[in-house]
Amino acid sequence: MRQQYLALGISFGLLFTITPYAFAVTPTSVNQDSNVPWSNVVENPFDGKLVYDKHFTDDFAFVTSWSRQGIKATYTTYWSQVVGYSSIRKTRRIWQGDHYIDDRYFDRDPIREKRSRSQSPKALLFAINGEIYTYTNGEVDPKLAEVLANAPAGNMTIRAVWRDDSTTDLPIGAGTVEAWKTVFKAPN
């Protein structure tokens, strides 16, 4: 009997452990280097009207795609990691007595590789007109679509909620916010 309770407890534990990952925001199909028209409405045979947005620096990129069928987001962190060393020969001039001599020596030079890790948030939060709206997955709720279609002009800050419940505030460009008026307009 005790083993049955243990198995049942483990099953429920696994269900609750696995479930949140199934409800995460889907990753985008593009990255910051993709040749797509950023912040412009495009017609996609799978998603209908959509707009791509990106925000990046040397050490991260946040790429999103926005359509009524779903919002997709990928946050990629970049860093450089030392993976070894090479020995290089160097020369320096040093004063010895009454003249300079070339002193040759070996030095270690680090070999670096660029690394990256991508993740998608479990939710996106929007603070629009004093209200907080949440998107987690699937088709965009009609109320959220209406709010996005009527969002105030200009850049917008959204909040990404990660699997560990930490958050990151990230900008969405004014051109993308303007494109939402077309993408999220109510169907006729």
Side-chain angles (χ1 to χ4, degrees):
M1 185 69 151
R2 187 173 173 181
Q3 288 176 333
Q4 289 174 331
Y5 286 123
L6 180 60
L8 187 59
I10 290 172
S11 296
F12 280 122
L14 285 174
L15 174 67
F16 290 115
T17 302
I18 294 169
T19 301
Y21 297 105
F23 295 109
V25 175
T26 307
T28 60
S29 59
V30 299
N31 64 44
Q32 75 277 7
D33 298 321
S34 295
N35 185 18
V36 297
W38 300 102
S39 298
N40 290 299
V41 177
V42 296
E43 190 72 36
N44 180 292
F46 299 101
D47 299 313
K49 288 181 178 17
L50 70 92
V51 61
Y52 297 107
D53 189 76
K54 67 178 175 176
H55 175 69
F56 64 97
T57 65
D58 287 340
D59 53 352
F60 82 90
F62 183 61
V63 178
T64 52
S65 67
W66 306 83
S67 75
R68 289 185 75 81
Q69 284 66 35
I71 300 169
K72 299 175 182 178
T74 304
Y75 186 90
T76 305
T77 305
Y78 298 98
W79 70 96
S80 181
Q81 184 171 348
V82 175
V83 295
Y85 293 90
S86 64
S87 184
I88 59 170
R89 190 172 188 168
K90 291 186 175 183
T91 304
R92 63 181 166 209
R93 296 197 57 115
I94 59 172
W95 183 255
Q96 186 172 11
D98 59 351
H99 64 283
Y100 283 99
I101 63 167
D102 288 334
D103 178 37
R104 291 186 175 89
Y105 65 99
F106 286 94
D107 199 5
R108 291 174 17 138
D109 193 33
I111 301 169
R112 299 181 185 277
E113 283 186 4
K114 190 154 183 146
R115 303 286 172 100
S116 66
R117 178 178 25 257
S118 294
Q119 62 179 333
S120 290
K122 72 177 184 178
L124 296 173
L125 303 179
F126 304 87
I128 302 173
N129 298 325
E131 297 286 328
I132 304 293
Y133 300 90
T134 303
Y135 174 81
T136 54
N137 72 337
E139 193 169 315
V140 176
D141 176 82
K143 178 63 179 166
L144 177 57
E146 178 186 343
V147 169
L148 293 174
N150 295 297
N155 293 337
M156 177 182 289
T157 300
I158 66 170
R159 178 165 287 173
V161 181
W162 307 107
R163 290 186 174 133
D164 65 358
D165 290 325
S166 64
T167 61
T168 305
D169 289 354
L170 297 156
I172 299 298
T176 298
V177 173
E178 181 64 28
W180 288 349
K181 293 180 183 345
T182 302
V183 170
F184 293 111
K185 184 173 75 172
N188 294 333

